[in-house]
PDB file of all heavy atoms in Angstrom:
ATOM      1  N   LEU C   1     -31.596  -1.412  -5.981  1.00  0.00           N
ATOM      2  CA  LEU C   1     -30.640  -1.583  -4.882  1.00  0.00           C
ATOM      3  C   LEU C   1     -29.544  -2.575  -5.376  1.00  0.00           C
ATOM      4  O   LEU C   1     -29.817  -3.672  -5.847  1.00  0.00           O
ATOM      5  CB  LEU C   1     -31.293  -2.200  -3.663  1.00  0.00           C
ATOM      6  CG  LEU C   1     -30.424  -2.406  -2.407  1.00  0.00           C
ATOM      7  CD1 LEU C   1     -29.818  -1.163  -1.939  1.00  0.00           C
ATOM      8  CD2 LEU C   1     -31.257  -3.077  -1.293  1.00  0.00           C
ATOM      9  N   GLY C   2     -28.276  -2.114  -5.172  1.00  0.00           N
ATOM     10  CA  GLY C   2     -27.123  -2.988  -5.490  1.00  0.00           C
ATOM     11  C   GLY C   2     -26.165  -3.015  -4.371  1.00  0.00           C
ATOM     12  O   GLY C   2     -26.267  -2.205  -3.415  1.00  0.00           O
ATOM     13  N   GLN C   3     -25.240  -3.882  -4.403  1.00  0.00           N
ATOM     14  CA  GLN C   3     -24.137  -3.987  -3.477  1.00  0.00           C
ATOM     15  C   GLN C   3     -22.842  -3.508  -3.961  1.00  0.00           C
ATOM     16  O   GLN C   3     -22.617  -3.632  -5.174  1.00  0.00           O
ATOM     17  CB  GLN C   3     -24.030  -5.453  -2.939  1.00  0.00           C
ATOM     18  CG  GLN C   3     -25.251  -5.953  -2.153  1.00  0.00           C
ATOM     19  CD  GLN C   3     -24.924  -7.338  -1.535  1.00  0.00           C
ATOM     20  OE1 GLN C   3     -24.215  -8.113  -2.153  1.00  0.00           O
ATOM     21  NE2 GLN C   3     -25.554  -7.588  -0.429  1.00  0.00           N
ATOM     22  N   ALA C   4     -22.034  -3.002  -3.055  1.00  0.00           N
ATOM     23  CA  ALA C   4     -20.670  -2.619  -3.464  1.00  0.00           C
ATOM     24  C   ALA C   4     -20.004  -3.716  -4.189  1.00  0.00           C
ATOM     25  O   ALA C   4     -19.980  -4.907  -3.650  1.00  0.00           O
ATOM     26  CB  ALA C   4     -19.883  -2.113  -2.263  1.00  0.00           C
ATOM     27  N   GLY C   5     -19.392  -3.455  -5.305  1.00  0.00           N
ATOM     28  CA  GLY C   5     -18.679  -4.484  -6.077  1.00  0.00           C
ATOM     29  C   GLY C   5     -19.638  -5.198  -7.084  1.00  0.00           C
ATOM     30  O   GLY C   5     -19.180  -5.959  -7.911  1.00  0.00           O
ATOM     31  N   GLY C   6     -20.931  -4.952  -6.968  1.00  0.00           N
ATOM     32  CA  GLY C   6     -21.855  -5.654  -7.823  1.00  0.00           C
ATOM     33  C   GLY C   6     -22.138  -4.801  -9.068  1.00  0.00           C
ATOM     34  O   GLY C   6     -21.483  -3.863  -9.410  1.00  0.00           O
ATOM     35  N   SER C   7     -23.250  -5.248  -9.785  1.00  0.00           N
ATOM     36  CA  SER C   7     -23.602  -4.595 -11.088  1.00  0.00           C
ATOM     37  C   SER C   7     -25.095  -4.321 -11.133  1.00  0.00           C
ATOM     38  O   SER C   7     -25.927  -4.993 -10.556  1.00  0.00           O
ATOM     39  CB  SER C   7     -23.193  -5.532 -12.220  1.00  0.00           C
ATOM     40  OG  SER C   7     -21.824  -5.772 -12.283  1.00  0.00           O
ATOM     41  N   LEU C   8     -25.403  -3.245 -11.887  1.00  0.00           N
ATOM     42  CA  LEU C   8     -26.739  -2.921 -12.197  1.00  0.00           C
ATOM     43  C   LEU C   8     -26.813  -2.419 -13.619  1.00  0.00           C
ATOM     44  O   LEU C   8     -25.739  -1.922 -14.122  1.00  0.00           O
ATOM     45  CB  LEU C   8     -27.353  -1.848 -11.275  1.00  0.00           C
ATOM     46  CG  LEU C   8     -27.610  -2.260  -9.821  1.00  0.00           C
ATOM     47  CD1 LEU C   8     -27.981  -1.048  -8.977  1.00  0.00           C
ATOM     48  CD2 LEU C   8     -28.783  -3.286  -9.763  1.00  0.00           C
ATOM     49  N   ARG C   9     -27.933  -2.399 -14.272  1.00  0.00           N
ATOM     50  CA  ARG C   9     -28.088  -1.815 -15.601  1.00  0.00           C
ATOM     51  C   ARG C   9     -29.289  -0.957 -15.678  1.00  0.00           C
ATOM     52  O   ARG C   9     -30.342  -1.370 -15.216  1.00  0.00           O
ATOM     53  CB  ARG C   9     -28.114  -2.926 -16.673  1.00  0.00           C
ATOM     54  CG  ARG C   9     -28.031  -2.311 -18.070  1.00  0.00           C
ATOM     55  CD  ARG C   9     -28.021  -3.384 -19.150  1.00  0.00           C
ATOM     56  NE  ARG C   9     -29.376  -3.907 -19.493  1.00  0.00           N
ATOM     57  CZ  ARG C   9     -29.626  -4.493 -20.657  1.00  0.00           C
ATOM     58  NH1 ARG C   9     -28.721  -4.642 -21.571  1.00  0.00           N
ATOM     59  NH2 ARG C   9     -30.845  -4.960 -20.853  1.00  0.00           N
ATOM     60  N   LEU C  10     -29.111   0.213 -16.197  1.00  0.00           N
ATOM     61  CA  LEU C  10     -30.194   1.163 -16.500  1.00  0.00           C
ATOM     62  C   LEU C  10     -30.499   1.130 -17.970  1.00  0.00           C
ATOM     63  O   LEU C  10     -29.617   0.990 -18.792  1.00  0.00           O
ATOM     64  CB  LEU C  10     -29.828   2.571 -16.061  1.00  0.00           C
ATOM     65  CG  LEU C  10     -29.674   2.792 -14.574  1.00  0.00           C
ATOM     66  CD1 LEU C  10     -29.095   4.212 -14.344  1.00  0.00           C
ATOM     67  CD2 LEU C  10     -31.060   2.673 -13.892  1.00  0.00           C
ATOM     68  N   SER C  11     -31.768   1.269 -18.275  1.00  0.00           N
ATOM     69  CA  SER C  11     -32.214   1.358 -19.645  1.00  0.00           C
ATOM     70  C   SER C  11     -33.039   2.625 -19.781  1.00  0.00           C
ATOM     71  O   SER C  11     -33.710   3.058 -18.871  1.00  0.00           O
ATOM     72  CB  SER C  11     -32.986   0.156 -20.067  1.00  0.00           C
ATOM     73  OG  SER C  11     -32.347  -0.973 -19.941  1.00  0.00           O
ATOM     74  N   CYS C  12     -32.972   3.265 -20.945  1.00  0.00           N
ATOM     75  CA  CYS C  12     -33.783   4.417 -21.264  1.00  0.00           C
ATOM     76  C   CYS C  12     -34.325   4.270 -22.696  1.00  0.00           C
ATOM     77  O   CYS C  12     -33.559   4.203 -23.616  1.00  0.00           O
ATOM     78  CB  CYS C  12     -32.932   5.682 -21.120  1.00  0.00           C
ATOM     79  SG  CYS C  12     -33.784   7.175 -21.663  1.00  0.00           S
ATOM     80  N   THR C  13     -35.628   4.275 -22.782  1.00  0.00           N
ATOM     81  CA  THR C  13     -36.294   4.114 -24.053  1.00  0.00           C
ATOM     82  C   THR C  13     -36.981   5.398 -24.389  1.00  0.00           C
ATOM     83  O   THR C  13     -37.641   6.042 -23.608  1.00  0.00           O
ATOM     84  CB  THR C  13     -37.341   3.020 -23.970  1.00  0.00           C
ATOM     85  OG1 THR C  13     -36.700   1.746 -23.636  1.00  0.00           O
ATOM     86  CG2 THR C  13     -38.061   2.827 -25.345  1.00  0.00           C
ATOM     87  N   SER C  14     -36.703   5.773 -25.695  1.00  0.00           N
ATOM     88  CA  SER C  14     -37.220   7.075 -26.221  1.00  0.00           C
ATOM     89  C   SER C  14     -38.434   6.850 -27.103  1.00  0.00           C
ATOM     90  O   SER C  14     -38.524   5.833 -27.812  1.00  0.00           O
ATOM     91  CB  SER C  14     -36.082   7.735 -27.039  1.00  0.00           C
ATOM     92  OG  SER C  14     -36.611   8.867 -27.694  1.00  0.00           O
ATOM     93  N   SER C  15     -39.272   7.820 -27.141  1.00  0.00           N
ATOM     94  CA  SER C  15     -40.550   7.757 -27.974  1.00  0.00           C
ATOM     95  C   SER C  15     -40.265   8.303 -29.325  1.00  0.00           C
ATOM     96  O   SER C  15     -41.165   8.218 -30.178  1.00  0.00           O
ATOM     97  CB  SER C  15     -41.640   8.546 -27.298  1.00  0.00           C
ATOM     98  OG  SER C  15     -41.351   9.901 -27.182  1.00  0.00           O
ATOM     99  N   VAL C  16     -39.119   8.929 -29.593  1.00  0.00           N
ATOM    100  CA  VAL C  16     -38.885   9.593 -30.858  1.00  0.00           C
ATOM    101  C   VAL C  16     -38.726   8.530 -31.954  1.00  0.00           C
ATOM    102  O   VAL C  16     -38.227   7.360 -31.723  1.00  0.00           O
ATOM    103  CB  VAL C  16     -37.570  10.464 -30.756  1.00  0.00           C
ATOM    104  CG1 VAL C  16     -36.297   9.516 -30.733  1.00  0.00           C
ATOM    105  CG2 VAL C  16     -37.462  11.385 -31.939  1.00  0.00           C
ATOM    106  N   ARG C  17     -39.115   8.894 -33.198  1.00  0.00           N
ATOM    107  CA  ARG C  17     -39.093   7.909 -34.267  1.00  0.00           C
ATOM    108  C   ARG C  17     -37.675   7.745 -34.851  1.00  0.00           C
ATOM    109  O   ARG C  17     -37.317   6.706 -35.281  1.00  0.00           O
ATOM    110  CB  ARG C  17     -40.037   8.371 -35.397  1.00  0.00           C
ATOM    111  CG  ARG C  17     -41.465   8.287 -35.002  1.00  0.00           C
ATOM    112  CD  ARG C  17     -42.389   8.420 -36.243  1.00  0.00           C
ATOM    113  NE  ARG C  17     -42.201   9.779 -36.871  1.00  0.00           N
ATOM    114  CZ  ARG C  17     -42.789  10.122 -38.017  1.00  0.00           C
ATOM    115  NH1 ARG C  17     -43.564   9.247 -38.593  1.00  0.00           N
ATOM    116  NH2 ARG C  17     -42.616  11.318 -38.490  1.00  0.00           N
ATOM    117  N   THR C  18     -36.940   8.836 -34.860  1.00  0.00           N
ATOM    118  CA  THR C  18     -35.537   8.789 -35.493  1.00  0.00           C
ATOM    119  C   THR C  18     -34.512   8.739 -34.395  1.00  0.00           C
ATOM    120  O   THR C  18     -33.714   9.641 -34.272  1.00  0.00           O
ATOM    121  CB  THR C  18     -35.334   9.982 -36.437  1.00  0.00           C
ATOM    122  OG1 THR C  18     -35.586  11.179 -35.651  1.00  0.00           O
ATOM    123  CG2 THR C  18     -36.290   9.889 -37.639  1.00  0.00           C
ATOM    124  N   PHE C  19     -34.549   7.747 -33.539  1.00  0.00           N
ATOM    125  CA  PHE C  19     -33.728   7.689 -32.324  1.00  0.00           C
ATOM    126  C   PHE C  19     -32.251   7.795 -32.723  1.00  0.00           C
ATOM    127  O   PHE C  19     -31.467   8.384 -31.974  1.00  0.00           O
ATOM    128  CB  PHE C  19     -33.967   6.398 -31.603  1.00  0.00           C
ATOM    129  CG  PHE C  19     -33.174   6.248 -30.383  1.00  0.00           C
ATOM    130  CD1 PHE C  19     -33.438   6.922 -29.227  1.00  0.00           C
ATOM    131  CD2 PHE C  19     -32.101   5.335 -30.358  1.00  0.00           C
ATOM    132  CE1 PHE C  19     -32.661   6.793 -28.078  1.00  0.00           C
ATOM    133  CE2 PHE C  19     -31.326   5.155 -29.237  1.00  0.00           C
ATOM    134  CZ  PHE C  19     -31.633   5.838 -28.053  1.00  0.00           C
ATOM    135  N   SER C  20     -31.863   7.314 -33.867  1.00  0.00           N
ATOM    136  CA  SER C  20     -30.483   7.256 -34.259  1.00  0.00           C
ATOM    137  C   SER C  20     -29.911   8.656 -34.465  1.00  0.00           C
ATOM    138  O   SER C  20     -28.719   8.823 -34.434  1.00  0.00           O
ATOM    139  CB  SER C  20     -30.276   6.408 -35.485  1.00  0.00           C
ATOM    140  OG  SER C  20     -30.998   6.974 -36.624  1.00  0.00           O
ATOM    141  N   ASN C  21     -30.790   9.671 -34.620  1.00  0.00           N
ATOM    142  CA  ASN C  21     -30.295  11.015 -34.787  1.00  0.00           C
ATOM    143  C   ASN C  21     -30.137  11.784 -33.492  1.00  0.00           C
ATOM    144  O   ASN C  21     -29.841  12.983 -33.471  1.00  0.00           O
ATOM    145  CB  ASN C  21     -31.404  11.800 -35.607  1.00  0.00           C
ATOM    146  CG  ASN C  21     -31.332  11.371 -37.046  1.00  0.00           C
ATOM    147  OD1 ASN C  21     -30.473  10.718 -37.598  1.00  0.00           O
ATOM    148  ND2 ASN C  21     -32.457  11.648 -37.792  1.00  0.00           N
ATOM    149  N   TYR C  22     -30.246  11.103 -32.395  1.00  0.00           N
ATOM    150  CA  TYR C  22     -30.217  11.779 -31.060  1.00  0.00           C
ATOM    151  C   TYR C  22     -28.979  11.426 -30.246  1.00  0.00           C
ATOM    152  O   TYR C  22     -28.601  10.273 -30.118  1.00  0.00           O
ATOM    153  CB  TYR C  22     -31.461  11.481 -30.298  1.00  0.00           C
ATOM    154  CG  TYR C  22     -32.710  12.274 -30.767  1.00  0.00           C
ATOM    155  CD1 TYR C  22     -33.301  11.946 -31.955  1.00  0.00           C
ATOM    156  CD2 TYR C  22     -33.115  13.343 -30.021  1.00  0.00           C
ATOM    157  CE1 TYR C  22     -34.330  12.701 -32.408  1.00  0.00           C
ATOM    158  CE2 TYR C  22     -34.203  14.076 -30.508  1.00  0.00           C
ATOM    159  CZ  TYR C  22     -34.801  13.749 -31.684  1.00  0.00           C
ATOM    160  OH  TYR C  22     -35.833  14.543 -32.131  1.00  0.00           O
ATOM    161  N   VAL C  23     -28.412  12.414 -29.749  1.00  0.00           N
ATOM    162  CA  VAL C  23     -27.369  12.307 -28.675  1.00  0.00           C
ATOM    163  C   VAL C  23     -28.046  11.843 -27.392  1.00  0.00           C
ATOM    164  O   VAL C  23     -29.078  12.438 -27.029  1.00  0.00           O
ATOM    165  CB  VAL C  23     -26.588  13.555 -28.508  1.00  0.00           C
ATOM    166  CG1 VAL C  23     -25.663  13.532 -27.312  1.00  0.00           C
ATOM    167  CG2 VAL C  23     -25.846  14.005 -29.745  1.00  0.00           C
ATOM    168  N   MET C  24     -27.469  10.985 -26.657  1.00  0.00           N
ATOM    169  CA  MET C  24     -28.018  10.457 -25.358  1.00  0.00           C
ATOM    170  C   MET C  24     -26.976  10.610 -24.244  1.00  0.00           C
ATOM    171  O   MET C  24     -25.795  10.446 -24.482  1.00  0.00           O
ATOM    172  CB  MET C  24     -28.451   9.061 -25.535  1.00  0.00           C
ATOM    173  CG  MET C  24     -29.433   8.719 -26.633  1.00  0.00           C
ATOM    174  SD  MET C  24     -31.027   9.605 -26.461  1.00  0.00           S
ATOM    175  CE  MET C  24     -31.625   8.896 -24.931  1.00  0.00           C
ATOM    176  N   GLY C  25     -27.515  10.985 -23.118  1.00  0.00           N
ATOM    177  CA  GLY C  25     -26.639  11.112 -21.927  1.00  0.00           C
ATOM    178  C   GLY C  25     -27.253  10.559 -20.676  1.00  0.00           C
ATOM    179  O   GLY C  25     -28.471  10.457 -20.604  1.00  0.00           O
ATOM    180  N   TRP C  26     -26.379  10.187 -19.764  1.00  0.00           N
ATOM    181  CA  TRP C  26     -26.831   9.814 -18.423  1.00  0.00           C
ATOM    182  C   TRP C  26     -26.239  10.740 -17.425  1.00  0.00           C
ATOM    183  O   TRP C  26     -25.034  11.018 -17.499  1.00  0.00           O
ATOM    184  CB  TRP C  26     -26.362   8.400 -18.111  1.00  0.00           C
ATOM    185  CG  TRP C  26     -27.139   7.254 -18.752  1.00  0.00           C
ATOM    186  CD1 TRP C  26     -26.770   6.500 -19.851  1.00  0.00           C
ATOM    187  CD2 TRP C  26     -28.434   6.767 -18.370  1.00  0.00           C
ATOM    188  NE1 TRP C  26     -27.760   5.628 -20.137  1.00  0.00           N
ATOM    189  CE2 TRP C  26     -28.729   5.698 -19.275  1.00  0.00           C
ATOM    190  CE3 TRP C  26     -29.317   7.078 -17.330  1.00  0.00           C
ATOM    191  CZ2 TRP C  26     -29.961   5.043 -19.189  1.00  0.00           C
ATOM    192  CZ3 TRP C  26     -30.499   6.370 -17.269  1.00  0.00           C
ATOM    193  CH2 TRP C  26     -30.866   5.387 -18.180  1.00  0.00           C
ATOM    194  N   PHE C  27     -27.063  11.296 -16.576  1.00  0.00           N
ATOM    195  CA  PHE C  27     -26.598  12.193 -15.527  1.00  0.00           C
ATOM    196  C   PHE C  27     -27.061  11.590 -14.185  1.00  0.00           C
ATOM    197  O   PHE C  27     -27.936  10.717 -14.155  1.00  0.00           O
ATOM    198  CB  PHE C  27     -27.213  13.575 -15.703  1.00  0.00           C
ATOM    199  CG  PHE C  27     -26.571  14.335 -16.842  1.00  0.00           C
ATOM    200  CD1 PHE C  27     -26.941  14.053 -18.109  1.00  0.00           C
ATOM    201  CD2 PHE C  27     -25.688  15.347 -16.597  1.00  0.00           C
ATOM    202  CE1 PHE C  27     -26.386  14.727 -19.205  1.00  0.00           C
ATOM    203  CE2 PHE C  27     -25.141  16.106 -17.651  1.00  0.00           C
ATOM    204  CZ  PHE C  27     -25.520  15.763 -18.974  1.00  0.00           C
ATOM    205  N   ARG C  28     -26.565  12.069 -13.103  1.00  0.00           N
ATOM    206  CA  ARG C  28     -26.990  11.653 -11.807  1.00  0.00           C
ATOM    207  C   ARG C  28     -26.957  12.831 -10.829  1.00  0.00           C
ATOM    208  O   ARG C  28     -26.138  13.725 -10.949  1.00  0.00           O
ATOM    209  CB  ARG C  28     -26.200  10.486 -11.287  1.00  0.00           C
ATOM    210  CG  ARG C  28     -24.692  10.795 -10.918  1.00  0.00           C
ATOM    211  CD  ARG C  28     -23.971   9.502 -10.608  1.00  0.00           C
ATOM    212  NE  ARG C  28     -22.601   9.767 -10.295  1.00  0.00           N
ATOM    213  CZ  ARG C  28     -21.685   8.905  -9.989  1.00  0.00           C
ATOM    214  NH1 ARG C  28     -22.018   7.559 -10.065  1.00  0.00           N
ATOM    215  NH2 ARG C  28     -20.447   9.210  -9.686  1.00  0.00           N
ATOM    216  N   ARG C  29     -27.813  12.691  -9.800  1.00  0.00           N
ATOM    217  CA  ARG C  29     -27.809  13.687  -8.709  1.00  0.00           C
ATOM    218  C   ARG C  29     -27.853  12.929  -7.432  1.00  0.00           C
ATOM    219  O   ARG C  29     -28.885  12.261  -7.110  1.00  0.00           O
ATOM    220  CB  ARG C  29     -29.026  14.658  -8.840  1.00  0.00           C
ATOM    221  CG  ARG C  29     -29.100  15.628  -7.655  1.00  0.00           C
ATOM    222  CD  ARG C  29     -30.150  16.661  -7.865  1.00  0.00           C
ATOM    223  NE  ARG C  29     -29.692  17.649  -8.775  1.00  0.00           N
ATOM    224  CZ  ARG C  29     -30.551  18.334  -9.600  1.00  0.00           C
ATOM    225  NH1 ARG C  29     -31.880  18.144  -9.492  1.00  0.00           N
ATOM    226  NH2 ARG C  29     -30.018  19.259 -10.363  1.00  0.00           N
ATOM    227  N   ALA C  30     -26.770  13.060  -6.674  1.00  0.00           N
ATOM    228  CA  ALA C  30     -26.720  12.452  -5.348  1.00  0.00           C
ATOM    229  C   ALA C  30     -27.322  13.417  -4.293  1.00  0.00           C
ATOM    230  O   ALA C  30     -27.320  14.599  -4.517  1.00  0.00           O
ATOM    231  CB  ALA C  30     -25.278  12.097  -4.972  1.00  0.00           C
ATOM    232  N   PRO C  31     -27.789  12.900  -3.170  1.00  0.00           N
ATOM    233  CA  PRO C  31     -28.362  13.740  -2.136  1.00  0.00           C
ATOM    234  C   PRO C  31     -27.351  14.836  -1.721  1.00  0.00           C
ATOM    235  O   PRO C  31     -26.188  14.601  -1.434  1.00  0.00           O
ATOM    236  CB  PRO C  31     -28.609  12.794  -0.961  1.00  0.00           C
ATOM    237  CG  PRO C  31     -28.778  11.489  -1.620  1.00  0.00           C
ATOM    238  CD  PRO C  31     -27.835  11.447  -2.784  1.00  0.00           C
ATOM    239  N   GLY C  32     -27.830  16.098  -1.748  1.00  0.00           N
ATOM    240  CA  GLY C  32     -27.005  17.210  -1.351  1.00  0.00           C
ATOM    241  C   GLY C  32     -25.956  17.659  -2.332  1.00  0.00           C
ATOM    242  O   GLY C  32     -25.102  18.517  -2.045  1.00  0.00           O
ATOM    243  N   LYS C  33     -25.981  17.045  -3.548  1.00  0.00           N
ATOM    244  CA  LYS C  33     -24.965  17.414  -4.557  1.00  0.00           C
ATOM    245  C   LYS C  33     -25.658  17.865  -5.840  1.00  0.00           C
ATOM    246  O   LYS C  33     -26.841  17.664  -6.019  1.00  0.00           O
ATOM    247  CB  LYS C  33     -24.062  16.173  -4.842  1.00  0.00           C
ATOM    248  CG  LYS C  33     -23.213  15.724  -3.677  1.00  0.00           C
ATOM    249  CD  LYS C  33     -22.282  14.604  -4.099  1.00  0.00           C
ATOM    250  CE  LYS C  33     -21.410  14.151  -2.983  1.00  0.00           C
ATOM    251  NZ  LYS C  33     -20.503  13.064  -3.359  1.00  0.00           N
ATOM    252  N   GLU C  34     -24.923  18.512  -6.663  1.00  0.00           N
ATOM    253  CA  GLU C  34     -25.391  18.995  -7.960  1.00  0.00           C
ATOM    254  C   GLU C  34     -25.473  17.842  -8.945  1.00  0.00           C
ATOM    255  O   GLU C  34     -24.695  16.836  -8.849  1.00  0.00           O
ATOM    256  CB  GLU C  34     -24.564  20.109  -8.510  1.00  0.00           C
ATOM    257  CG  GLU C  34     -24.597  21.387  -7.636  1.00  0.00           C
ATOM    258  CD  GLU C  34     -23.839  22.515  -8.309  1.00  0.00           C
ATOM    259  OE1 GLU C  34     -23.251  22.284  -9.289  1.00  0.00           O
ATOM    260  OE2 GLU C  34     -23.891  23.609  -7.756  1.00  0.00           O
ATOM    261  N   ARG C  35     -26.318  17.998  -9.978  1.00  0.00           N
ATOM    262  CA  ARG C  35     -26.353  17.034 -11.035  1.00  0.00           C
ATOM    263  C   ARG C  35     -25.018  16.968 -11.785  1.00  0.00           C
ATOM    264  O   ARG C  35     -24.407  17.981 -12.017  1.00  0.00           O
ATOM    265  CB  ARG C  35     -27.479  17.380 -11.996  1.00  0.00           C
ATOM    266  CG  ARG C  35     -27.738  16.377 -13.096  1.00  0.00           C
ATOM    267  CD  ARG C  35     -28.854  16.867 -14.031  1.00  0.00           C
ATOM    268  NE  ARG C  35     -28.480  18.089 -14.702  1.00  0.00           N
ATOM    269  CZ  ARG C  35     -29.328  18.892 -15.325  1.00  0.00           C
ATOM    270  NH1 ARG C  35     -30.581  18.580 -15.328  1.00  0.00           N
ATOM    271  NH2 ARG C  35     -28.900  19.987 -15.883  1.00  0.00           N
ATOM    272  N   GLU C  36     -24.636  15.752 -12.152  1.00  0.00           N
ATOM    273  CA  GLU C  36     -23.385  15.629 -12.906  1.00  0.00           C
ATOM    274  C   GLU C  36     -23.490  14.619 -13.990  1.00  0.00           C
ATOM    275  O   GLU C  36     -24.315  13.703 -13.917  1.00  0.00           O
ATOM    276  CB  GLU C  36     -22.234  15.204 -11.907  1.00  0.00           C
ATOM    277  CG  GLU C  36     -22.495  13.812 -11.329  1.00  0.00           C
ATOM    278  CD  GLU C  36     -21.290  13.344 -10.454  1.00  0.00           C
ATOM    279  OE1 GLU C  36     -20.273  14.039 -10.343  1.00  0.00           O
ATOM    280  OE2 GLU C  36     -21.413  12.203  -9.898  1.00  0.00           O
ATOM    281  N   LEU C  37     -22.680  14.800 -14.984  1.00  0.00           N
ATOM    282  CA  LEU C  37     -22.624  13.821 -16.106  1.00  0.00           C
ATOM    283  C   LEU C  37     -22.081  12.489 -15.645  1.00  0.00           C
ATOM    284  O   LEU C  37     -21.145  12.469 -14.875  1.00  0.00           O
ATOM    285  CB  LEU C  37     -21.730  14.343 -17.215  1.00  0.00           C
ATOM    286  CG  LEU C  37     -21.428  13.292 -18.334  1.00  0.00           C
ATOM    287  CD1 LEU C  37     -22.567  13.245 -19.270  1.00  0.00           C
ATOM    288  CD2 LEU C  37     -20.028  13.597 -18.987  1.00  0.00           C
ATOM    289  N   VAL C  38     -22.646  11.480 -16.097  1.00  0.00           N
ATOM    290  CA  VAL C  38     -22.126  10.089 -15.936  1.00  0.00           C
ATOM    291  C   VAL C  38     -21.491   9.644 -17.210  1.00  0.00           C
ATOM    292  O   VAL C  38     -20.332   9.203 -17.261  1.00  0.00           O
ATOM    293  CB  VAL C  38     -23.178   9.122 -15.435  1.00  0.00           C
ATOM    294  CG1 VAL C  38     -22.617   7.729 -15.322  1.00  0.00           C
ATOM    295  CG2 VAL C  38     -23.840   9.602 -14.140  1.00  0.00           C
ATOM    296  N   ALA C  39     -22.277   9.703 -18.287  1.00  0.00           N
ATOM    297  CA  ALA C  39     -21.788   9.191 -19.612  1.00  0.00           C
ATOM    298  C   ALA C  39     -22.642   9.810 -20.668  1.00  0.00           C
ATOM    299  O   ALA C  39     -23.801  10.109 -20.429  1.00  0.00           O
ATOM    300  CB  ALA C  39     -21.745   7.668 -19.643  1.00  0.00           C
ATOM    301  N   ALA C  40     -22.102   9.856 -21.883  1.00  0.00           N
ATOM    302  CA  ALA C  40     -22.845  10.330 -23.024  1.00  0.00           C
ATOM    303  C   ALA C  40     -22.375   9.583 -24.280  1.00  0.00           C
ATOM    304  O   ALA C  40     -21.279   9.093 -24.322  1.00  0.00           O
ATOM    305  CB  ALA C  40     -22.637  11.843 -23.202  1.00  0.00           C
ATOM    306  N   ILE C  41     -23.279   9.480 -25.258  1.00  0.00           N
ATOM    307  CA  ILE C  41     -22.963   8.781 -26.449  1.00  0.00           C
ATOM    308  C   ILE C  41     -23.463   9.577 -27.614  1.00  0.00           C
ATOM    309  O   ILE C  41     -24.591  10.091 -27.603  1.00  0.00           O
ATOM    310  CB  ILE C  41     -23.538   7.369 -26.438  1.00  0.00           C
ATOM    311  CG1 ILE C  41     -23.079   6.549 -27.641  1.00  0.00           C
ATOM    312  CG2 ILE C  41     -25.078   7.340 -26.342  1.00  0.00           C
ATOM    313  CD1 ILE C  41     -23.326   5.020 -27.535  1.00  0.00           C
ATOM    314  N   GLY C  42     -22.682   9.696 -28.621  1.00  0.00           N
ATOM    315  CA  GLY C  42     -23.052  10.560 -29.794  1.00  0.00           C
ATOM    316  C   GLY C  42     -24.031   9.852 -30.688  1.00  0.00           C
ATOM    317  O   GLY C  42     -24.365   8.700 -30.535  1.00  0.00           O
TER     318      GLY C  42
END
């Protein structure tokens, strides 16, 4: 839970051994809406 104007941080840890070889993305799905991209990193 956060407040408008505030900050939060999400973390995602992978079990893969060669993590540096993987593209990573963050998506989100709001109630009643389709999933959408938030950000991605090569």
